[in-house]
């Protein structure tokens, strides 16, 4: 497998993971659920799905 093929596979995987994550966030928003994320120190915190989406979009 060439280096170019490896890069293309990683890019496809990254795109699929992002799509899956945002679909999950969208469903959780519709259901009014929360999401557990990690803060800067790695400690878990619970936030609304809307807040989790906002945070994720700023990190794209």
């Amino acid at each position: 497998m060439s280096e170019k093929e490896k890069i293309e596979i990683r890019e496809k995987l990254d795109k699929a993971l992002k799509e899956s994550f945002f679909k999950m966030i969208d469903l959780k928003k519709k259901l009014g659920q929360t999401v557990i994320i990690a803060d800067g120190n790695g400690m878990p915190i619970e936030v609304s799905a809307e807040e989790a989406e906002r945070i994720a979009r700023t990190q794209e």
Side-chain angles (χ1 to χ4, degrees):
M1 181 180 299
S2 71
E3 195 63 33
K4 182 179 177 182
E5 289 173 320
K6 289 179 184 178
I7 291 170
E8 289 172 355
I9 290 171
R10 286 185 196 127
E11 288 172 351
K12 281 184 181 180
L13 180 58
D14 186 51
K15 181 181 177 187
L17 288 170
K18 284 181 184 178
E19 184 179 316
S20 175
F21 174 78
F22 284 110
K23 282 182 181 179
M24 183 263 312
I25 291 291
D26 189 49
L27 178 61
K28 285 188 172 281
K29 283 181 4 183
K30 289 176 183 175
L31 296 172
Q33 295 179 337
T34 59
V35 178
I36 305 297
I37 62 172
D39 67 9
N41 296 320
M43 297 301 295
I45 56 172
E46 186 174 1
V47 297
S48 68
E50 291 86 3
E51 181 68 9
E53 180 181 38
R54 186 189 66 73
I55 292 168
R57 296 253 183 233
T58 61
Q59 306 218 350
E60 279 189 291

